[in-house]
Amino acid sequence: MQATAYTYDPETRSGSVLLDDGTPVPFDAAAFDAGGLRLLRSGQRVRIETEGAGEGGQPRITLVTLQTL
């Protein structure tokens, strides 16, 4: 699934992405680390993988990585 990086805190390695419908979905350090990224900037296009539901019934992000063509 694709999304756009919305927020990122380098100290906690967590943040949120915006789904294509504009819904913000948070991710934790484990999802960020799973993607092997070192930095994420707001507006970058990313690929995410989800599993089940997290807080508020939103999908729980398990992986965040850069979208490549």
Side-chain angles (χ1 to χ4, degrees):
M1 176 183 308
Q2 295 181 23
T4 303
Y6 185 50
T7 64
Y8 174 68
D9 181 347
E11 290 185 22
T12 63
R13 298 182 327 280
S14 63
S16 63
V17 299
L18 290 177
L19 301 180
D20 289 342
D21 68 0
T23 304
V25 180
F27 64 86
D28 59 17
F32 181 79
D33 293 344
L37 298 175
R38 294 173 50 188
L39 180 65
L40 192 59
R41 291 187 302 271
S42 181
Q44 282 182 301
R45 196 69 175 155
V46 295
R47 184 175 67 85
I48 60 171
E49 291 183 9
T50 62
E51 176 180 274
E55 293 181 28
Q58 296 176 332
R60 186 176 71 81
I61 297 175
T62 59
L63 177 122
V64 178
T65 190
L66 291 180
Q67 177 65 35
T68 58
L69 299 176

